[in-house]
C-alpha cells in the first residue's frame, strides 16, 4: 500500500497510451520536437530543445509576493522548474489536449531533478508524507478523461519513493475536491481572483486523517497567479496539514524575480499549440 493508484483516471487512456508508446516511444524521439534521439538524453529531450528550455529554477519569494499584494500565505514554499515558453507549453499542451499521457513521466522527472538539485527543496525527499495534485472539477475531468496533475503526481511519488528508505510517500489524488467550476484565473483580475476561488476546494472527508499533521507536496502543471495553489493549501491547512509545499512544471512571468527572463527559442515550430494563452 505505498500509493493510491489512480486507476479511474488512467484506464480510459491505457490503450491509447500503449499505441502512442508504439508510435512515439520514450527515449527514441524528443518528447518536445519529435527529433530522433538516443536513449541517454535526459528527460527524453534533444540537445536543441534542452538548450531552448528556460530552466528558471524558480523559487518564489513568498514574503515579497505578499508585500506586492499577491498573497500566498498558506504555502510554505512554491517552486517551478521552467519559465513558461514555447517548449514547455508544447509539453503541457501535448499532455493535456493531445492526451499524450506518457508525458507525465518526463515531466515528473524534471520535477524530481529540480527537488534533488535545489538545496532548499532537497529536504522534501525525506520529509514529504503526501503528494497531492491540484484537482480538476468533475465536469472537466469527465471531458478530458484524466487530470494531468494527478498523472504527474503519481509518477513523481514513484520517483520520490525510489530516493528514500523506509516510510513511503503516499500519492493521494483524491485528497482535494474541486467543488465549483471556476473561470481561468488569468481572465479575472485582482480581488476577483480570490472571490473566483473562494470555497472552490475542500478536503475529501475520507482523506482527513491522512492530512492531519502531514507534510504535503502540492503538484500542478502550471503556476499562473498562485491563487489556486494558495486556496488548495488553505483547505489542506484547515484540515490540519503541517506544511504545504507547491511545485509546478512551469510558470509565467509573474514570479520570476532573480531568474533569467530570456525568451524561449522562437525558431521552434510550435505544432501543438496555437494560442498564447496559458492553458487551464
Ligand atoms: Zn527536441
Amino acid at each position: 500500500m505505498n500509493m493510491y493508484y489512480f486507476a479511474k483516471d488512467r484506464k480510459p487512456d491505457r490503450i491509447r497510451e500503449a499505441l502512442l508508446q508504439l508510435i512515439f516511444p520514450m527515449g527514441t524521439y524528443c518528447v518536445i520536437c519529435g527529433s530522433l534521439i538516443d536513449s541517454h538524453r535526459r528527460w527524453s529531450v534533444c540537445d536543441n530543445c534542452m538548450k531552448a528550455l528556460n530552466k528558471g529554477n524558480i523559487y518564489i519569494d513568498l514574503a515579497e509576493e505578499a508585500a506586492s499584494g499577491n498573497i500566498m500565505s498558506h504555502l510554505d514554499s512554491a517552486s517551478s522548474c521552467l519559465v513558461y515558453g514555447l517548449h514547455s507549453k508544447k509539453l503541457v499542451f501535448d499532455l493535456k489536449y493531445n492526451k499524450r499521457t506518457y508525458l507525465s513521466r518526463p515531466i515528473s522527472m524534471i520535477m524530481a531533478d529540480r527537488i534533488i538539485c535545489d538545496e532548499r527543496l532537497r529536504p522534501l525527499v525525506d520529509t514529504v508524507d503526501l503528494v497531492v495534485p491540484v484537482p480538476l472539477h468533475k465536469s472537466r475531468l469527465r471531458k478530458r478523461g484524466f487530470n494531468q496533475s494527478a498523472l504527474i503526481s503519481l509518477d513523481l511519488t514513484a520517483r520520490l519513493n525510489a530516493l528514500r528508505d523506509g516510510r513511503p510517500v503516499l500519492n493521494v489524488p483524491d485528497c482535494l475536491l474541486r467543488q465549483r467550476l471556476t473561470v481561468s484565473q488569468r481572465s479575472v483580475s485582482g480581488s476577483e481572483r480570490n472571490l473566483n476561488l473562494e470555497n472552490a476546494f475542500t478536503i475529501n472527508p475520507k482523506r482527513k486523517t491522512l492530512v492531519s499533521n502531514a507534510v504535503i507536496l502540492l503538484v500542478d502543471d502550471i503556476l499562473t497567479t498562485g491563487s489556486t495553489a494558495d486556496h488548495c493549501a488553505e483547505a489542506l491547512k484547515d484540515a490540519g496539514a503541517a506544511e504545504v509545499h507547491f511545485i509546478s512544471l512551469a510558470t509565467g512571468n509573474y514570479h520570476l524575480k532573480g531568474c533569467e527572463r530570456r525568451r524561449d527559442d522562437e525558431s521552434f515550430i510550435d505544432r501543438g499549440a496555437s494560442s498564447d494563452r496559458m492553458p487551464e
Side-chain angles (χ1 to χ4, degrees), residues 30-35 37 44-50 87 268:
C30 170
V31 290
I32 297 173
C33 72
S35 315
I37 54 170
S44 273
V45 170
C46 76
D47 290 346
N48 286 341
C49 290
M50 188 61 104
H87 291 70
F268 175 71

Side-chain angles (χ1 to χ4, degrees), residues 88-252:
S88 48
K89 184 162 80 175
K90 178 78 164 60
L91 269 179
V92 172
F93 265 72
D94 276 350
L95 171 61
K96 284 162 89 161
Y97 304 117
N98 296 331
K99 300 192 189 303
R100 292 187 175 153
T101 48
Y102 62 85
L103 290 176
S104 63
R105 279 184 287 152
I107 290 173
S108 69
M109 206 185 284
I110 294 172
M111 286 184 175
D113 281 353
R114 171 87 172 89
I115 292 169
I116 297 161
C117 295
D118 188 324
E119 59 185 28
R120 294 162 297 189
L121 300 178
R122 184 74 176 79
L124 290 175
V125 173
D126 297 315
T127 60
V128 162
D129 298 303
L130 313 177
V131 178
V132 172
V134 169
L136 286 182
H137 187 264
K138 60 183 175 201
S139 65
R140 193 158 282 157
L141 182 62
R142 228 179 358 249
K143 201 170 150 201
R144 189 171 298 157
F146 60 92
N147 174 1
Q148 71 284 348
S149 301
L151 296 183
I152 298 167
S153 295
L154 180 67
D155 287 335
L156 183 58
T157 304
R159 290 186 194 286
L160 291 175
N161 276 322
L163 290 167
R164 79 200 262 181
D165 304 318
R167 187 177 53 88
V169 187
L170 298 181
N171 176 47
V172 195
D174 59 353
C175 188
L176 283 167
L177 304 174
R178 196 165 194 143
Q179 312 221 92
R180 287 193 293 113
L181 190 59
T182 50
V183 295
S184 164
Q185 280 301 91
R186 276 172 69 83
S187 64
V188 291
S189 59
S191 56
E192 287 177 335
R193 278 182 191 146
N194 265 329
L195 282 176
N196 183 35
L197 288 170
E198 209 160 306
N199 302 319
F201 302 98
T202 52
I203 298 286
N204 183 344
K206 289 184 206 152
R207 304 294 178 226
K208 264 192 175 148
T209 47
L210 279 177
V211 171
S212 180
N213 295 316
V215 175
I216 294 173
L217 182 60
L218 182 65
V219 175
D220 209 354
D221 51 349
I222 300 280
L223 175 73
T224 48
T225 64
S227 302
T228 300
D230 191 56
H231 278 82
C232 287
E234 183 179 17
L236 292 164
K237 286 273 173 85
D238 284 351
E243 292 173 30
V244 181
H245 300 268
F246 174 84
I247 191 163
S248 71
L249 173 70
T251 189

